[in-house]
Amino acid sequence: KGGGGKEYVTDLIQYETIKNELRKAAASASVLSAGNSGKRGHVPKAVHFPKKSKHVRIKRFSYDVKGIIERLRSGSIGDVDRKCCYVMFFVNGLGELNTAKINRHGVELIGLCDGRLSTQDIASKFIPLETPSENRVQENVINAVRKLREMNVIEEKANDLP
């Protein structure tokens, strides 16, 4: 399960390696926030196709690396239990590197943002076959996509409908 071993150090090294790689990539490229790109006024008849930004990485760790780092900062690490988590690394619209723990639904949602599916198509993938609140599920997914766009995790292109 966990204990006094230091197996979590490998996860910490991978965490820092990914951060360094993204810092370098962000420094060498101009990062423009899709959320602040002036597309606030949506075209009434447009279909949006979200796509994960090139400055985003998602990694599954065997240990809660963000929790371990917080404990290290406080000066008390103690025993570390093996607890898997997903961390999303992303560069925001100001070119700053950020990290966030996300759940498996977030991983799945971002994975579907490949530029081929519309926001509505993505939302429909999260609706169970027999759900009484289909509109609520769609609204939650659409809000999540909007938030990811504001964070610069995804970019959206809009195609006008005929």
Side-chain angles (χ1 to χ4, degrees):
K1 168 135 174 133
K6 303 289 187 247
E7 298 88 9
Y8 63 87
V9 172
T10 301
D11 275 5
L12 291 175
I13 291 169
Q14 289 177 342
Y15 177 89
E16 291 300 326
T17 300
I18 294 169
K19 283 177 58 176
N20 287 332
E21 289 171 357
L22 275 179
R23 269 192 203 103
K24 289 177 187 173
S28 66
S30 65
V31 178
L32 176 65
S33 171
N36 297 324
S37 62
K39 295 183 185 177
R40 292 272 182 226
H42 294 289
V43 180
K45 292 186 177 183
V47 177
H48 296 272
F49 294 86
K51 183 176 182 181
K52 183 177 80 167
S53 170
K54 65 181 178 178
H55 295 291
V56 174
R57 304 285 183 281
I58 298 173
K59 172 79 173 139
R60 180 182 179 274
F61 293 98
S62 298
Y63 293 87
D64 177 7
V65 291
K66 290 187 67 76
I68 292 169
I69 290 168
E70 288 174 21
R71 289 168 64 184
L72 285 170
R73 286 185 181 145
S74 73
S76 170
I77 187 66
D79 286 348
V80 175
D81 289 332
R82 189 177 201 99
K83 181 182 176 188
C84 293
C85 76
Y86 293 96
V87 176
M88 175 176 64
F89 302 82
F90 63 100
V91 178
N92 68 17
L94 302 174
E96 302 164 336
L97 177 66
N98 291 287
T99 61
K101 279 176 52 174
I102 60 174
N103 62 26
R104 65 180 177 84
H105 297 294
V107 173
E108 185 178 344
L109 173 63
I110 295 166
L112 290 170
C113 294
D114 60 4
R116 294 183 293 174
L117 296 173
S118 71
T119 304
Q120 291 294 350
D121 290 338
I122 291 169
S124 71
K125 300 241 183 235
F126 285 87
I127 299 170
L129 294 175
E130 298 178 23
T131 182
S133 57
E134 180 175 321
N135 289 338
R136 185 169 173 217
V137 173
Q138 280 191 327
E139 184 178 309
N140 289 343
V141 172
I142 291 168
N143 287 335
V145 168
R146 183 178 305 118
K147 177 71 175 167
L148 291 170
R149 184 177 60 243
E150 290 169 2
M151 294 168 61
N152 206 40
V153 171
I154 62 168
E155 305 161 347
E156 277 189 320
K157 64 178 181 181
N159 290 347
D160 293 337
L161 292 175

